[in-house]
Amino acid sequence: DTEVTQTPKHLVMGMTNKKSLKCEQHMGHRAMYWYKQKAKKPPELMFVYSYEKLSINESVPSRFSPECPNSSLLNLHLHALQPEDSALYLCASSHDLSGRLTDTQYFGPGTRLTVL
Amino acid sequence: DAKTTQPTSMDCAEGRAANLPCNHSTISGNEYVYWYRQIHSQGPQYIIHGLKNNETNEMASLIITEDRKSSTLILPHATLRDTAVYYCIVRRRGPNAGGTSYGKLTFGQGTILTVHP
């Protein structure tokens, strides 16, 4: 099973709302990622978690708050977003970050977020 | 990580081979060439990767030139379902991958491949 699932598929929220995106994988992967993809642009890395610890934050604004409650789950908490944050949010996972084994990243289908 | 250059778009007839070029003239010795694709409204999908030898799997073949400054992804018998954006990515991997050892994928603009009936 090489599936990464993301919920919800679509989300519409106002600028004062608080919402969360969820990502799940059951491949035993210990590295998980959040990417953001604006329309007609390539994906851009936001966060990397390694063994449930935040490893990389690519200077993402604090209105995006990631959380990795266990090795299978990755959340992205959203608060006070702006309309320009509307995008496809992609989650990915890989075996780990060591590179000793395959480091293929498996992506979920994404959550299409619209901020009004 | 080294920068890559790909054509903006390409067309291919169904059933024919699709050859997607990628230029990575500044690639260094410990950098691998990865290919991912993204079908419309889906997440990116890993295709293949290589260091210096040619590679083949069930999806595609990867041909890397001897000087490693360019590569070609070959889809041997393109189908309509292969219509997608194809990303060529060059990156280090392993314990010495940039000190932090994180597997960052830096996507370029990619090539939009359209397969026609």
Side-chain angles (χ1 to χ4, degrees):
Chain A
D1 181 12
T2 57
E3 188 178 24
V4 175
T5 59
Q6 291 187 244
T7 54
K9 283 189 170 58
H10 300 275
L11 178 62
V12 179
M13 61 186 290
M15 289 188 284
T16 58
N17 292 157
K18 286 185 181 180
K19 296 287 185 185
S20 296
L21 310 184
K22 179 179 172 182
C23 172
E24 194 165 5
Q25 56 87 14
H26 295 287
M27 294 178 277
H29 289 172
R30 304 311 297 271
M32 296 186 77
Y33 312 76
W34 281 115
Y35 288 81
K36 174 181 177 178
Q37 186 174 24
K38 300 279 284 181
K40 299 189 187 303
K41 297 291 186 183
E44 293 181 339
L45 183 69
M46 300 174 72
F47 302 104
V48 179
Y49 271 83
S50 175
Y51 289 85
E52 295 92 71
K53 287 187 167 49
L54 183 63
S55 178
I56 295 294
N57 176 341
E58 293 282 291
S59 303
V60 179
S62 60
R63 57 185 184 269
F64 295 92
S65 175
E67 177 197 21
C68 192
N70 61 55
S71 60
S72 300
L73 282 175
L74 185 67
N75 299 320
L76 186 63
H77 303 297
L78 314 172
H79 173 55
L81 294 194
Q82 303 297 311
E84 57 264 29
D85 296 321
S86 297
L88 181 68
Y89 288 84
L90 294 159
C91 173
S93 71
S94 66
H95 192 276
D96 60 24
L97 300 184
S98 71
R100 284 186 288 272
L101 298 174
T102 175
D103 59 354
T104 298
Q105 290 188 24
Y106 295 90
F107 285 80
T111 293
R112 178 80 55 189
L113 174 68
T114 302
V115 182
L116 300 176
Chain B
D1 293 335
K3 185 177 175 179
T4 62
T5 304
Q6 300 177 250
T8 303
S9 63
M10 296 183 65
D11 290 334
C12 178
E14 190 176 21
R16 304 298 292 269
N19 297 291
L20 292 93
C22 180
N23 184 291
H24 31 79
S25 57
T26 59
I27 193 169
S28 60
N30 62 351
E31 289 181 315
Y32 287 70
V33 180
Y34 286 77
W35 284 84
Y36 280 75
R37 75 179 182 183
Q38 188 172 22
I39 296 169
H40 183 61
S41 296
Q42 297 183 22
Q45 177 190 24
Y46 166 80
I47 302 173
I48 199 168
H49 76 279
L51 182 61
K52 51 186 175 183
N53 297 322
N54 298 337
E55 302 288 344
T56 295
N57 63 21
E58 64 278 4
M59 288 183 69
S61 294
L62 174 60
I63 308 298
I64 302 174
T65 57
E66 193 168 342
D67 63 7
R68 302 210 320 124
K69 293 185 177 184
S70 65
S71 60
T72 301
L73 178 75
I74 301 172
L75 307 179
H77 306 286
T79 70
L80 299 179
R81 287 175 295 180
D82 291 322
T83 293
V85 180
Y86 287 77
Y87 296 102
C88 170
I89 301 167
V90 173
R91 54 179 282 261
R92 291 167 289 181
R93 61 172 292 182
N96 297 317
T100 54
S101 301
Y102 68 92
K104 179 177 180 178
L105 288 177
T106 302
F107 290 85
Q109 295 304 309
T111 295
I112 301 170
L113 175 68
T114 303
V115 181
H116 297 285

